[in-house]
Amino acid sequence: MNTQLGVWLAQLMATDAPALPSAWAMQLWLHLGWSVVLACAGASLVGRWMPGRAGRLDGRQWAVALVLAVWTWLPGPYAPAHWLGLAFQAPSVAAVLLCDALLRRRFFPSRPGPTNADGPSRVAMALAWAGVLLGWALVLDSFALLPVQLYAWGFSPAAVVLVLALALLPWAVGRWSRPVGPTRLWVVPIAVLVFAVWRLPSGNVWDAVLDPCLWLVLHWVVVRAAWARRTHRLASNGATVEV
């Protein structure tokens, strides 16, 4: 029994024979992922710089998103996916799911849900902090400053199970104070499930839930939330003194 358990644990932690995605799946994901990310970025920039009328779909945002999405599918070096792939490889599954959610919310708004008037919920901030800390740990691992090979461990089945368990933790303990949108809360679990089926984008689970661009965005989310909290605290203290 102990021997079988040891063999099972060794297989669970093994990183020497990772399951990698097929070449055609990697190529397809490269274009599909960057088309969604660029379409979301383009529509967001147009909406910020040239906002349209409230309650109406902005044709300029549609046009920019469509052009960027189609441009990404051009063959060879004529597509931005070629150069972005050389610089950043493929985007993570989590980043593509987040951009897809933002696009659908921008172009197909549904009934109003929980607002972010008081800032992001604790669940959202916990996920953002987890992404920031994971990214820094991977940076340290790339310089061999950690006692374990963290990135290599991402090829093991145990890492997939651990990431999925941590991603489902908010549902197990409740949504704490203010709930987040269901799409955003399910982003990481769905990303892990997509990775488990297709091994995208690289066969490593860390690449499925985090990439350099998403990591930088999470830094911005954390800093903005901390600044908003500080501003709110100062305003509250000032109002208390005046009273």
Side-chain angles (χ1 to χ4, degrees):
M1 181 64 67
N2 292 336
T3 303
Q4 294 178 352
L5 180 61
V7 172
W8 181 78
L9 289 176
Q11 293 176 349
L12 189 64
M13 302 291 294
T15 61
D16 53 349
L20 302 178
S22 60
W24 70 267
M26 294 177 65
Q27 190 67 18
L28 179 64
W29 180 256
L30 178 68
H31 291 274
L32 177 62
W34 283 119
S35 65
V36 175
V37 172
L38 290 181
C40 178
S44 299
L45 289 177
V46 172
R48 179 175 293 273
W49 291 342
M50 297 181 293
R53 295 182 180 179
R56 296 184 58 183
L57 292 178
D58 192 344
R60 292 169 298 187
Q61 297 183 32
W62 272 97
V64 170
L66 182 61
V67 168
L68 289 174
V70 173
W71 183 27
T72 310
W73 287 93
L74 292 179
Y78 300 102
H82 173 80
W83 303 105
L84 290 172
L86 292 178
F88 304 106
Q89 298 184 352
S92 63
V93 181
V96 175
L97 291 175
L98 284 172
C99 290
D100 173 71
L102 292 175
L103 280 174
R104 286 187 286 107
R105 188 178 64 180
R106 178 176 295 274
F107 292 140
F108 306 103
S110 58
R111 65 178 184 273
T115 62
N116 290 330
D118 298 326
S121 70
R122 294 183 180 179
V123 175
M125 290 309 304
L127 293 175
W129 272 107
V132 170
L133 295 177
L134 173 62
W136 279 111
L138 292 173
V139 169
L140 295 176
D141 181 56
S142 66
F143 290 100
L145 296 177
L146 294 181
V148 295
Q149 295 181 342
L150 182 61
Y151 183 80
W153 189 62
F155 288 105
S156 67
V160 181
V161 175
L162 176 62
V163 174
L164 182 59
L166 293 177
L168 293 174
L169 188 60
W171 287 95
V173 300
R175 299 185 183 182
W176 303 346
S177 58
R178 294 187 307 277
V180 296
T183 301
R184 287 178 289 171
L185 194 59
W186 279 106
V187 161
V188 178
I190 293 176
V192 177
L193 293 178
V194 170
F195 170 81
V197 176
W198 288 289
R199 313 301 295 182
L200 293 170
S202 66
N204 191 298
V205 70
W206 306 130
D207 292 331
V209 298
L210 191 66
D211 59 64
C213 296
L214 179 58
W215 184 51
L216 294 177
V217 171
L218 291 179
H219 278 80
W220 175 72
V221 170
V222 169
V223 171
R224 187 182 66 169
W227 180 261
R229 191 183 307 111
R230 179 179 181 273
T231 303
H232 178 73
R233 187 183 301 112
L234 292 177
S236 300
N237 293 336
T240 303
V241 171
E242 291 179 2
V243 172

